[in-house]
Every structure is written in structure tokens, then in C-alpha cells.
Amino acid sequence: VHAFLRSGLPLVLGYNTALFSWLLRVFGRRRLVMNMDGIEWKREKWSRWARLWLRLNERIGTFAAHTMIADHPEIERHLRRLAPRARIATIPYGANHVAEGPKEVLDDFGLAPHGYLLLVARLEPENSVLTVVEAHARARTDTPLVIVGPITPERNGYHERIVEAARGSDVRFVGPIYDQDRLASLRLHALAYVHGHTVGGTNPSLVEAMGAGNAIVAHDNRFNRWVAGGGARYFSDAEELAGVFDDLAGPASDVGELRASSRARFAEAFTWPDILSRYERVLEDATRSDRERE
């Protein structure tokens, strides 16, 4: 209602409420730019009815938006099954370059610089957190695994399995961290960043880790492969990941090369000036079309 009563071009972030965006277009006679986000209806955390709602809204979003923004080439490929290529712009997420961060932050967690593995995620099945913890338990390394994210094993069966799998190994559940400076310091000083996401497009947490120059260890899928590029280590299961952990902490570690690759890939595709200028062009094109129509 607020958007309906205001002039200007609506930029809609996500298709989860596309039904209302469609009403805004039809009755408000407004052009819409919509970031279509990930393929939400594939996430295991949603119930059957929630998935139905999300899938329905994704389809409505393809009609409601004059321009759809895909945050990843694979998302663009998915959207092209639903709408013409001319109505899709592919723009990934960006992040800040992190070159320095106080090491004192590590003292709060009993950590040493480059002496821990880091994972930042919601603890959900599609993010492979259980696989990562199981791999850490199998690995020979004594490098701690630090997991940042809300965890409630008393109310969540998946969380309970994660905690159980962590017994006997140095896995530290530090809960959510909302202070971005503290989180950036944790990323900057980690030995490596572990990214287990299996669905979605360009994940902001992965891009932020690359902006901090982290060595990236990611689940092997087409989404992560495009984001992190060839200069990352990939895994498909716990056994393979355990071997990667041992390699990273071993005498022949390639962490330095992995960090350099992250920096280069980040500078190539995910800096804010580039991302925002591409958004600006999309919005200018849409407002120009509005003026021409009037």
C-alpha cells in the first residue's frame, strides 16, 4: 500500500510476495524491477505448502516484473525457461574489500590468526553443515572449526545431529554475530572459509569471504564453481572434505595460492562500484521507458 501511494520506480528484492507486486503493476500501472534471488522453492527447510507458495510467486514474478535481475548465470538460465532473455539482467551480489581487521577479536574466541577454519551460515541441510562437521571429525588436523550461526539443538533435530557429530573434535559454535566488523575480522584471519551451500545463486557470505581474501573450500556445484572460480578447493562428501582439511593444515598447504585466487576473482566480478553501476543502468533504462510511455 505504501509503494502504491508513492511515485517512483519500485525495486523489489525477492519474488516471495510477487502476488502483491503484480497487483502494484496492474492497478498502479507501474514498471517493476525485481531481483529474483535464489530458487527458494527448492530449499528443504520449507514445508510443502510454503514451497507451493514460493513456486507460484516465482511464476507470478516473471509476469509482474518488467525487468528481472538474476544474481547468477545459473539463475538466468533458470529464468529463461520462464521469460524472454531480453527481460533479464544478470547482476551478482557485491561485498566490501577487507584488508585489515583487529586480531584482538580472536582473543574473545580463544583463536590464533590462521589457526582455525570458519563457516558462516544458517544451520540447514542444504548448507551441508552436518557434512562439514563430520568431515572435521574424520580429519587428522587439530585445527578448530568455528561455526557462526544460530543453533538450537533442543528444538531442532538437524542441529542436534550436528552437535552430536561434533563430539570429540574441536568444533566451536559461537552463535550468530551481527557486528559486521567483528565478522570481517574473523573471516580475514581464518585459515580457510568453508562454504557448504548447495542451492541458490551468488551467496553473499561466500562473496564476503572472498572480499576478505579467504582461501575458499566450497561444496562442488555449479553455483559455487562460478562464484569462487578455479582457485578454490571443492568437495562432494565428508570423506573428500576431510582430506582437504588435512591438506590445508599440512606442510604442503596451498592456502597462499587460494587466498590470492580469491582476491583476484573478487576484484574481477564482485566489487561494489561495478555491481552498483550495473544496477544504475538497469534502473535508468526502466525510468526512461516510463517517461517514453508517458
Side-chain angles (χ1 to χ4, degrees):
V1 171
H2 179 73
F4 189 87
L5 296 175
R6 295 176 64 88
S7 61
L9 174 72
L11 170 61
V12 184
L13 304 180
Y15 62 70
N16 298 4
T17 54
L19 173 62
F20 305 107
S21 299
W22 178 78
L23 294 173
L24 182 64
R25 172 175 174 170
V26 171
F27 295 104
R29 296 182 174 276
R30 308 283 284 282
R31 298 186 70 85
L32 297 169
V33 176
M34 182 178 292
N35 185 314
M36 298 297 285
D37 202 9
I39 308 175
E40 285 292 315
W41 50 267
K42 284 191 174 182
R43 298 189 187 277
E44 294 182 26
K45 68 178 180 178
W46 301 120
S47 68
R48 181 177 61 177
W49 292 110
R51 290 186 187 189
L52 179 62
W53 168 264
L54 292 169
R55 193 160 192 176
L56 175 65
N57 274 273
E58 179 191 59
R59 196 71 182 94
I60 294 173
T62 65
F63 292 105
H66 289 80
T67 302
M68 291 172 284
I69 295 176
D71 68 22
H72 191 288
E74 291 295 333
I75 300 298
E76 177 194 323
R77 190 170 291 112
H78 170 71
L79 292 175
R80 287 175 68 174
R81 302 188 189 104
L82 307 173
R85 171 66 184 88
R87 292 177 49 220
I88 305 169
T90 301
I91 309 175
Y93 293 119
N96 294 319
H97 170 67
V98 179
E100 57 184 25
K103 295 180 180 178
E104 291 75 17
V105 171
L106 306 185
D107 296 337
D108 296 340
F109 305 101
L111 300 170
H114 303 153
Y116 59 96
L117 303 161
L118 180 66
L119 182 151
V120 181
R122 293 189 297 268
L123 277 61
E124 297 169 355
E126 63 262 26
N127 294 342
S128 309
V129 181
L130 179 59
T131 300
V132 174
V133 171
E134 290 174 340
H136 189 266
R138 293 185 186 190
R140 296 186 301 274
T141 178
D142 57 0
T143 306
L145 170 64
V146 177
I147 296 180
V148 177
I151 182 165
T152 54
E154 66 281 359
R155 300 198 305 270
N156 186 303
Y158 184 69
H159 292 186
E160 185 179 13
R161 291 170 62 197
I162 291 171
V163 171
E164 185 61 33
R167 296 191 191 281
S169 61
D170 193 356
V171 179
R172 306 183 189 184
F173 300 98
V174 300
I177 297 176
Y178 299 111
D179 185 317
Q180 294 303 304
D181 291 335
R182 285 170 63 82
L183 194 54
S185 289
L186 274 178
R187 286 192 172 103
L188 181 67
H189 299 297
L191 175 68
Y193 182 81
V194 187
H195 187 74
H197 292 59
T198 59
V199 298
T202 299
N203 183 269
S205 186
L206 177 56
V207 175
E208 288 164 5
M210 294 167 63
N214 281 145
I216 301 298
V217 181
H219 183 272
D220 193 356
N221 60 68
R222 64 191 189 278
F223 300 109
N224 296 338
R225 282 271 180 184
W226 181 82
V227 176
R233 296 289 297 271
Y234 294 95
F235 68 92
S236 299
D237 53 36
E239 182 177 358
E240 190 174 7
L241 180 56
V244 174
F245 286 160
D246 288 334
D247 290 345
L248 293 176
S253 174
D254 59 350
V255 164
E257 291 86 347
L258 295 174
R259 286 182 183 140
S261 294
S262 282
R263 292 281 192 199
R265 177 63 179 144
F266 173 79
E268 175 188 30
F270 304 109
T271 59
W272 277 128
D274 177 53
I275 301 301
L276 297 180
S277 66
R278 290 160 71 180
Y279 264 97
E280 186 175 30
R281 287 194 294 272
V282 167
L283 298 175
E284 285 177 343
D285 287 346
T287 52
R288 187 181 305 113
S289 297
D290 257 352
R291 289 194 296 269
E292 291 171 355
R293 188 177 54 154
E294 292 171 359

